[in-house]
Amino acid sequence: MPHSSIDLHMHSTASDGRLTPAELVERVAAAGVRLMALTDHDTLSGLEPAQQAAQDHGVGFVPGIELSARWARGVVHIVGLGLDPANPALVTGVAAQQAQRQQRAERIGERLAKRGFDGISERVAQAVGAGVPGRAHFARDLLEQGQVKTLQEAFDRYLKRGRPGYAPVDWASIDQVVEWIHGAGGVAVFAHPLRYQLSGGALRAAIQAFVAAGGRAIEVSNGGGGRDDVPAAAALARRFGLEASMGSDFHDPDFPWIAIGRLAPVPKDLAVVWQRWTVSA
Ligand code: AMP
Ligand code: MN
Ligand code: MN
Ligand code: MN
């Protein structure tokens, strides 16, 4: 299967994506992607409708999730692929992560209301609907209200650590989230390694912790990074003996610089995580 037809990281309205699972899968099919994973933040709720839509469109479907994990004073994202969404320990763990997200959203809303952003909690709750809240929902509201010019500015001025709308979260540990993924029969993938603003040493320590927990793969090609990120992430895969994964991290059709299936190829020497779900290379 050519790399251009594989996309193993994307979001729907179940978390902070803008398309419903069915709308997302329709675009995945239109983009010519043959194997997809839905990986919403800390929720499994989009998987059933997405899987159904994928079957209707003849797209190969890998059930996934993107779990937030505590690392040092920060957070890393661990994608789980090929997991059983009904696994009881996973379901319980994900519910705890969601409760953290709900509580954090209340705190962020209170903090921003104190800064004069009236009604932000109510508007965000409306936008989140039945999904799981994230900082992206607050960033979009600040943008729509004309308080910032870009989402980046919303994060930089209000939502990043140290900013007035920041509220910390006690995410599960890397060990814990890898255990949930493996317990549900999935493969754990260290997501977008070059997007954490960690020093080289701190990044390697985080990956080492992931490997010690039994993590198997790393995202070598991610839509959010530049082309220069691929060789750097590939070097990390080789250094730690990890398989490669690739995924766009698509969220929103109005931000076309991250498009479904538009990904730099993974270097050919690396073992790839999607071998499990594809018949031929
Ligand atoms: P959360 O997991 O709720 O803390 O929020 C992280 C999410 O916010 C990421 O998955 C992205 O969707 C989004 N995000 C983080 N940083 C930025 C940024 N600088 N610009 C736009 N979106 C961002
Ligand atoms: Mn997101
Ligand atoms: Mn992420
Ligand atoms: Mn993501």
Side-chain angles (χ1 to χ4, degrees):
M1 194 177 273
H3 286 194
S4 60
S5 61
I6 292 160
D7 191 335
L8 300 175
H9 186 157
M10 56 186 97
H11 298 270
S12 77
T13 50
S15 66
D16 59 3
R18 298 308 288 281
L19 301 176
T20 65
E23 289 165 346
L24 177 70
V25 172
E26 200 175 311
R27 286 190 187 236
V28 166
V33 169
R34 304 285 309 284
L35 184 72
M36 71 169 286
L38 179 63
T39 55
D40 273 308
H41 297 282
D42 301 298
T43 180
L44 300 157
S45 72
L47 295 176
E48 204 173 287
Q51 182 140 31
Q52 182 60 56
Q55 200 177 323
D56 295 345
H57 286 279
V59 173
F61 187 80
V62 177
I65 194 166
E66 182 170 18
L67 290 162
S68 311
R70 168 163 40 88
W71 169 250
R73 285 170 59 240
V75 55
V76 293
H77 286 174
I78 308 296
V79 163
L81 296 176
L83 38 78
D84 170 14
N87 178 268
L90 175 66
V91 167
T92 304
V94 166
Q97 298 272 102
Q98 273 172 33
Q100 293 280 343
R101 281 188 173 273
Q102 295 290 354
Q103 288 162 21
R104 178 183 63 166
E106 284 164 32
R107 294 204 300 273
I108 294 174
E110 285 163 13
R111 286 177 195 208
L112 292 176
K114 274 195 205 130
R115 302 287 289 212
F117 300 123
D118 296 332
I120 191 164
S121 294
E122 292 74 14
R123 288 191 304 275
V124 163
Q126 176 84 27
V128 169
V132 171
R135 285 183 295 168
H137 295 99
F138 287 92
R140 284 184 199 128
D141 185 74
L142 292 165
L143 185 64
E144 282 161 17
Q145 297 293 314
Q147 303 290 349
V148 293
K149 291 198 171 60
T150 62
L151 293 175
Q152 182 68 47
E153 187 188 345
F155 276 86
D156 290 345
R157 280 179 64 186
Y158 297 109
L159 297 168
K160 285 209 302 214
R161 189 162 69 204
R163 295 296 168 183
Y166 180 78
V169 185
D170 190 22
W171 300 118
S173 66
I174 291 178
D175 279 351
Q176 179 68 83
V177 306
V178 171
E179 189 184 317
W180 287 334
I181 292 165
H182 288 174
V187 184
V189 183
F190 193 94
H192 45 64
L194 300 165
R195 292 229 313 263
Y196 299 113
Q197 296 178 318
L198 293 172
S199 70
L203 176 61
R204 288 192 294 276
I207 297 170
Q208 187 56 59
F210 171 75
V211 170
R216 299 287 301 276
I218 190 164
E219 228 165 46
V220 169
S221 184
N222 177 278
R227 283 211 163 229
D228 294 350
D229 284 2
V230 173
L236 290 167
R238 291 182 198 109
R239 179 182 182 123
F240 290 97
L242 293 167
E243 296 174 29
S245 187
M246 68 192 302
S248 62
D249 214 353
F250 174 84
H251 285 74
D252 185 343
D254 289 339
F255 289 85
W257 47 91
I258 294 184
I260 294 165
R262 195 205 293 149
L263 285 156
V266 164
K268 292 225 183 322
D269 62 297
L270 295 175
V272 295
V273 76
W274 57 86
Q275 280 307 123
R276 289 168 182 75
W277 307 294
T278 52
V279 185
S280 59

